[in-house]
Amino acid sequence: MIDLDTIFDNIDEYSNNIDDLVKALKQAGIKSFEEFRNAAREAGTPVKKSIQDQVAEKFANCEEEDWEEAKRINTEEAYQNYLDSYPEGEYRSSARDRIEELQKLAESGASDEIWDSVNKGSIPELQNFVDNHPNSTYLAEATRLLRELRREQYLGVDIKAIRTDARINNPEKAIYDRIVNYINTGKISVEDLLSAIAEDNNFISGTVANLLWENGIISDFSRAGIDGDFIAHMMSNITPQKFQAPKPITKITKSPCTEVYFWGIPSSGKSCALGAILSSANSGRVAKSMQRDPDCQGYGYMNRLANLFKTNGAVGTLPEGPAISSTYEMGFILEDEDRKEHPITCIDLAGELVRCMYKQDAGEPLTDEQQNVLKTLTNILIDNRTDNRKIHFFVIEYGAEDREYEGLPQNIYLEAAVAYIQRTGIFKKDTDGLYLLITKVDKAKAVGKELQEKLRNYISENYQGFYNGLKKICKDNEINGGNVEIQPFTLGTVCFQNYCKFKEDTAATVVRTLIKRSYGYKTGKIKNLFDRLKK
């Protein structure tokens, strides 16, 4: 290696060979023209201007050549050599970027095998990967899986367990307390909770949402994509309506009328569906009017349901479900477009009934309350059966096929109910129609013919035995041409479990069905229809 003193002692000899001069300077550690001039001053050696100009030009060209060479080699070492040679070089920013890119590529390549070995269902293994591989191309996926597992472990499973634990007196407060504890102890973050709510707007109830807002845990639910109308309704803290247990029914008191029965296991959405149907009937938009009978056993229940959804498109609060052992009788008259009056009695059968039918035939013990539920059914549809025409709606919640009651899914109870009905002869030739009312069809993510096809497949996959049993009853008793009609149903958009932006379409379809399938009397031909019904 040539030292600087030797170079400057022989500087004039390089006049005709600047390339050799620059090469020697580089070997001596000179990386730029500025360093060359400074070294010359320190050595006290005068340098001709012609040599200075050529060295300056050569160093400028050398940087360009060295940069192109670094790009050609394309390694961290090559780019670092450029930076070492030209710390103030024109391409220093690009060189640093290239080094960072190569490091990320190296990290991702090295982590492929590591990522493949990670248990994607293990929170500790995913967390270890995130901590130790911050530059991995799998970081985003690992973080997403980690959040999902935490939500499922600490929010999903735990909260579902609280909601179904009969030993907990106030499950909503218990859910709120559990969420706050998890946030305070770092098991989940507020962002985790918001993500869970964004994925499922009914992940928590309105009561829990209000507690989270009032106590400053979540200050802005719009971050979870919640509609402003729902947020405003939640902040108003309107409590759900509660229903008193009714008097027992021994017979249907009105005649003539069309009796319309609604069947469904607890939490099937039956009462809320009835609320939407009665609200639509009461709106004046489908039937011209609805005259409610104040003498019927379920008059108060009917009034509350009929006023749940006063305006199509507005947000309302869903009611609490009635006691699962309660059966309600609701009498009213619908006036159609031709001014005909249709006397109808809707019977909301106890949610516990289907399970009682199963237990009876399975030889399992029934409580006194459950025996009374079966006794009500026997009274109104067997022992004291009227001559009125009858229609039956079976309410099934879309997507709830895996929900269990006392260890059994609902299809077991529904199939048992059909067997009980066949054995006792409840559905006779005075029955005009059997319908499956599938609630919460928004989950199907389909409309029109596609929705109908999806619902048929859904029933076939999950409730085929129940459906075939109903079809056999229809054929044996010549009901509705041997057909069971599947009707899609939605309340509208439901948020925070308790709030609903009412969409009337499917409820109006049921009201039209009631008008179409019931007898209508011309106004004036019956002087006082309710007086006659009371006879």
Side-chain angles (χ1 to χ4, degrees):
M1 177 183 292
I2 304 175
D3 60 34
L4 285 176
D5 290 340
T6 302
I7 293 172
F8 286 116
D9 286 345
N10 301 282
I11 192 69
D12 290 336
E13 295 179 10
Y14 289 104
S15 297
N16 297 320
N17 200 342
I18 299 300
D19 286 343
D20 287 346
L21 173 58
V22 171
K23 183 177 179 181
L25 288 170
K26 283 185 176 182
Q27 289 178 347
I30 300 299
K31 299 172 183 177
S32 67
F33 176 67
E34 268 315 303
E35 290 185 10
F36 168 70
R37 286 201 305 180
N38 291 336
R41 291 194 193 100
E42 290 178 6
T45 303
V47 179
K48 296 178 182 178
K49 186 175 184 306
S50 60
I51 293 177
Q52 290 189 42
D53 291 342
Q54 291 181 75
V55 169
E57 182 181 356
K58 194 64 180 176
F59 265 116
N61 290 336
C62 281
E63 180 184 351
E64 189 73 31
E65 291 170 2
D66 288 347
W67 172 244
E68 291 299 324
E69 181 67 7
K71 287 196 297 180
R72 185 187 67 77
I73 298 172
N74 198 34
T75 63
E76 285 186 57
E77 183 181 6
Y79 291 119
Q80 190 59 53
N81 285 338
Y82 168 81
L83 289 173
D84 291 343
S85 298
Y86 307 100
E88 301 299 324
E90 180 181 354
Y91 304 104
R92 61 186 182 280
S93 177
S94 296
R96 294 189 188 104
D97 289 344
R98 291 291 183 92
I99 289 173
E100 186 176 345
E101 289 171 8
L102 288 171
Q103 287 174 341
K104 287 182 178 179
L105 283 172
E107 170 66 23
S108 65
S111 67
D112 282 348
E113 186 176 343
I114 298 172
W115 174 245
D116 289 341
S117 69
V118 172
N119 180 354
K120 309 306 187 293
S122 168
I123 290 177
E125 287 194 31
L126 286 168
Q127 186 61 60
N128 182 67
F129 183 86
V130 169
D131 292 341
N132 293 312
H133 302 277
N135 296 320
S136 171
T137 55
Y138 300 107
L139 181 67
E141 176 68 4
T143 303
R144 183 187 68 80
L145 290 172
L146 193 57
R147 284 189 172 182
E148 285 183 359
L149 286 174
R150 280 177 172 157
R151 287 201 299 269
E152 183 62 22
Q153 176 180 346
Y154 296 118
L155 295 177
V157 174
D158 217 1
I159 286 177
K160 288 175 185 176
I162 293 173
R163 192 169 286 132
T164 57
D165 191 338
R167 298 168 298 178
I168 299 176
N169 293 327
N170 189 342
E172 301 308 312
K173 181 61 166 59
I175 289 171
Y176 166 77
D177 289 340
R178 188 66 57 87
I179 289 173
V180 171
N181 174 262
Y182 284 159
I183 291 173
N184 290 340
T185 56
K187 291 179 178 177
I188 64 167
S189 66
V190 172
E191 292 303 320
D192 288 334
L193 179 58
L194 286 168
S195 295
I197 297 170
E199 290 175 9
D200 178 6
N201 289 173
N202 292 293
F203 179 73
I204 57 174
S205 69
T207 301
V208 174
N210 195 268
L211 285 170
L212 291 168
W213 175 69
E214 285 185 339
N215 291 289
I217 307 300
I218 295 180
S219 59
D220 184 7
F221 278 98
S222 65
R223 291 167 59 196
I226 302 297
D227 187 303
D229 290 343
F230 286 116
I231 296 173
H233 195 80
M234 178 270 294
M235 290 178 177
S236 65
N237 202 19
I238 300 172
T239 57
Q241 293 192 36
K242 298 181 179 181
F243 302 113
Q244 299 295 323
K247 296 178 181 178
I249 301 174
T250 56
K251 62 180 180 180
I252 301 303
T253 56
K254 306 304 177 184
S255 184
C257 73
T258 299
E259 297 172 19
V260 184
Y261 291 84
F262 285 83
W263 305 68
I265 64 174
S267 302
S268 62
K270 174 168 57 71
S271 295
C272 288
L274 258 172
I277 292 164
L278 293 175
S279 292
S280 181
N282 189 47
S283 69
R285 290 186 290 270
V286 184
K288 294 188 75 67
S289 67
M290 177 186 184
Q291 305 167 47
R292 284 165 271 183
D293 178 9
D295 293 329
C296 65
Q297 171 256 23
Y299 179 67
Y301 180 66
M302 173 174 56
N303 280 331
R304 291 182 182 277
L305 289 182
N307 283 280
L308 275 180
F309 306 106
K310 297 178 182 179
T311 306
N312 191 34
V315 175
T317 301
L318 299 177
E320 289 187 357
I324 59 176
S325 58
S326 297
T327 293
Y328 295 88
E329 176 196 25
M330 295 166 281
F332 53 89
I333 295 172
L334 295 181
E335 181 186 5
D336 66 21
E337 292 293 328
D338 297 325
R339 299 290 182 182
K340 288 183 179 179
E341 295 180 337
H342 298 253
I344 293 170
T345 297
C346 273
I347 300 94
D348 184 4
L349 293 167
E352 185 72 353
L353 175 60
V354 174
R355 288 199 290 183
C356 293
M357 297 162 85
Y358 165 80
K359 286 189 169 186
Q360 178 75 10
D361 282 354
E364 296 181 4
L366 279 77
T367 65
D368 290 344
E369 186 178 48
Q370 289 172 333
Q371 289 175 2
N372 287 332
V373 169
L374 274 180
K375 185 178 179 181
T376 297
L377 175 70
T378 302
N379 282 335
I380 62 179
L381 279 173
I382 299 176
D383 293 348
N384 301 319
R385 188 184 185 95
T386 68
D387 293 329
N388 294 327
R389 306 304 298 179
K390 297 169 180 64
I391 299 172
H392 296 269
F393 286 88
F394 286 85
V395 181
I396 296 176
E397 178 187 341
Y398 186 90
E401 61 277 1
D402 294 328
R403 184 183 298 155
E404 292 189 351
Y405 301 87
E406 296 182 351
L408 293 174
Q410 60 178 321
N411 70 297
I412 298 297
Y413 292 111
L414 291 171
E415 288 174 14
V418 169
Y420 188 97
I421 289 166
Q422 287 175 320
R423 179 173 61 77
T424 54
I426 289 175
F427 292 172
K428 299 179 179 178
K429 293 185 179 180
D430 61 1
T431 301
D432 291 329
L434 292 180
Y435 296 86
L436 288 186
L437 198 68
I438 314 298
T439 63
K440 299 187 180 180
V441 294
D442 309 82
K443 296 178 181 178
K445 306 294 184 184
V447 295
K449 292 182 179 179
E450 183 185 353
L451 175 59
Q452 286 290 346
E453 181 66 22
K454 205 163 189 177
L455 293 182
R456 282 193 292 270
N457 291 337
Y458 177 74
I459 294 298
S460 176
E461 291 171 5
N462 299 287
Y463 302 100
Q464 191 63 53
F466 167 65
Y467 182 71
N468 288 342
L470 288 182
K471 284 189 70 173
K472 185 177 188 309
I473 290 174
C474 287
K475 289 178 180 178
D476 291 347
N477 295 279
E478 300 177 1
I479 299 171
N480 200 36
N483 294 315
V484 179
E485 185 175 331
I486 297 175
Q487 285 201 359
F489 194 89
T490 176
L491 297 175
T493 304
V494 177
C495 184
F496 293 140
Q497 301 174 15
N498 307 122
Y499 310 138
C500 176
K501 184 173 284 189
F502 183 44
K503 185 178 180 182
E504 190 180 32
D505 301 9
T506 55
T509 297
V510 176
V511 176
R512 293 188 187 97
T513 298
L514 298 184
I515 292 173
K516 181 180 178 181
R517 302 304 298 270
S518 62
Y519 285 116
Y521 301 88
K522 275 289 186 181
T523 306
K525 287 191 175 182
I526 300 176
K527 185 177 180 182
N528 189 323
L529 190 54
F530 270 136
D531 285 345
R532 178 174 173 178
L533 294 179
K534 292 177 187 178
K535 292 181 181 179

